[in-house]
Amino acid sequence: MIIDKLRRPLHDLRISVTDKCNFRCQYCMPAEIFGPDFKFLNKDEILSFEEIERLARIFSKLGVKKLRITGGEPLMRKNIALLISKLNEIEGITDIGLTTNGVLLVKQSKELYEAGLRRLNISLDALDNEIFQKMNGRGVKSDVVLRGIETALNTGFSVKVNMVVQKGVNDSQIIPMAKHFRDMGITLRFIEYMDVGNTNGWNWNQVVTKKEIYDLLSEHFTLKPVDSNYYGEVAKRYKYKDSETEVGFITSVSESFCSTCTRARISADGKFYTCLFAAKGHDLKSLLRNIDDDEQILNEISGIWQNRNDRYSDERVIGSVSSSKKIEMSYIGG
């Protein structure tokens, strides 16, 4: 196990397998920026499955136990189930999850499950079709995602639903979403609108804080807190009274969790990021393609993590963040 300068271990690795997505959500890939002429990564610029597997094996030797497959939209990467099956064979990796918008789950759930994937985080920001169609930028109805969720549940997956909440955009959906997924027995997690990247037009006025959401939920439900499952758990978790169904909050803006952050990220083109809000990454792709010795790459990664002192959300709270550019969420995988 290695620790950084703030004594945080490296336990979780999020791996982006593509920078492409079939949605154009304003908070992630606004259509006016990521339009028809936007240049995405070429095939030879992104990591191959073999390179991803090699990196995951190296990271497992440094203490990583959990992998999260992200994008863009990871189900747009051809034969993604094959990668899942390879990662499942790595000694030391005890948990693999995948984050998706759910559109392609009806077609892919069975092969993903057969490859060994058991856990899905599915993004859905509204039940109301007019709101959701506007938010996803592609006119996709919420029914499409709900069918994906239903298919995943019937296949056997453990499912959590993520909702990014923006004031004046979809905050009217907080209670309908809570009721719907409570009744389904699915954990819903409310995510505070974050200033990831530079293209989403973020400002404080659009943030609906955990306290605001909690207070609203408390008008309709009785919630009781749930203890964390492990060190570095991001979500603040609650259960509904007389139910085992949970609701959670990702509070990166109002209640920073930098002090226990154990997450590293690999972009689709093989850059290593030690923070979601990083301005630049460390090029591991070049190392993979030019160095045969895994130990040498391991030492390089170890040195990067041991020098890590990122605490962007803490600095945002006290107003000391720099104005430097940040990597886009669609590129780093959220």
Side-chain angles (χ1 to χ4, degrees), residues 239-253:
K239 281 184 179 179
Y240 297 102
K241 184 181 178 181
D242 302 325
S243 172
E244 290 302 305
T245 303
E246 292 189 9
V247 63
F249 303 87
I250 311 296
T251 63
S252 175
V253 177

Side-chain angles (χ1 to χ4, degrees), residues 28-63:
C28 182
M29 292 181 71
E32 61 269 23
I33 304 295
F34 296 87
D37 297 326
F38 185 83
K39 184 172 174 21
F40 290 97
L41 294 169
N42 294 322
K43 184 177 180 180
D44 62 345
E45 294 178 288
I46 64 176
L47 294 180
S48 68
F49 286 172
E50 290 75 16
E51 290 167 333
I52 292 172
E53 180 187 2
R54 185 183 175 195
L55 268 184
R57 289 186 186 279
I58 293 171
F59 272 92
S60 71
K61 294 176 182 177
L62 292 170

Side-chain angles (χ1 to χ4, degrees), residues 37-165:
D37 297 326
F38 185 83
K39 184 172 174 21
F40 290 97
L41 294 169
N42 294 322
K43 184 177 180 180
D44 62 345
E45 294 178 288
I46 64 176
L47 294 180
S48 68
F49 286 172
E50 290 75 16
E51 290 167 333
I52 292 172
E53 180 187 2
R54 185 183 175 195
L55 268 184
R57 289 186 186 279
I58 293 171
F59 272 92
S60 71
K61 294 176 182 177
L62 292 170
V64 165
K65 304 293 184 185
K66 297 178 64 176
L67 300 179
R68 172 78 62 81
I69 306 303
T70 68
E73 169 49 52
L75 299 189
M76 291 184 70
R77 179 77 183 259
K78 188 177 180 180
N79 297 323
I80 189 66
L82 177 61
L83 174 64
I84 299 294
S85 64
K86 289 176 177 292
L87 297 177
N88 249 322
E89 297 173 358
I90 298 176
E91 184 178 355
I93 299 299
T94 59
D95 182 89
I96 301 176
L98 183 144
T99 298
T100 174
N101 60 35
V103 170
L104 299 174
L105 277 176
V106 171
K107 292 182 178 179
Q108 297 191 30
S109 279
K110 186 173 183 289
E111 63 177 342
L112 289 169
Y113 195 86
E114 290 175 348
L117 188 67
R118 294 293 180 267
R119 198 164 55 80
L120 292 169
N121 285 18
I122 302 175
S123 300
L124 179 63
D125 295 324
L127 291 173
D128 179 273
N129 276 323
E130 185 176 349
I131 295 173
F132 185 60
Q133 287 175 306
K134 184 176 180 181
M135 289 190 74
N136 66 55
R138 285 290 187 257
V140 178
K141 293 183 177 181
S142 61
D143 295 350
V144 176
V145 180
L146 292 171
R147 281 198 296 274
I149 292 171
E150 191 72 30
T151 300
L153 290 173
N154 291 338
T155 304
F157 281 106
S158 169
V159 172
K160 293 177 182 176
V161 173
N162 291 339
M163 175 186 180
V164 176
V165 184

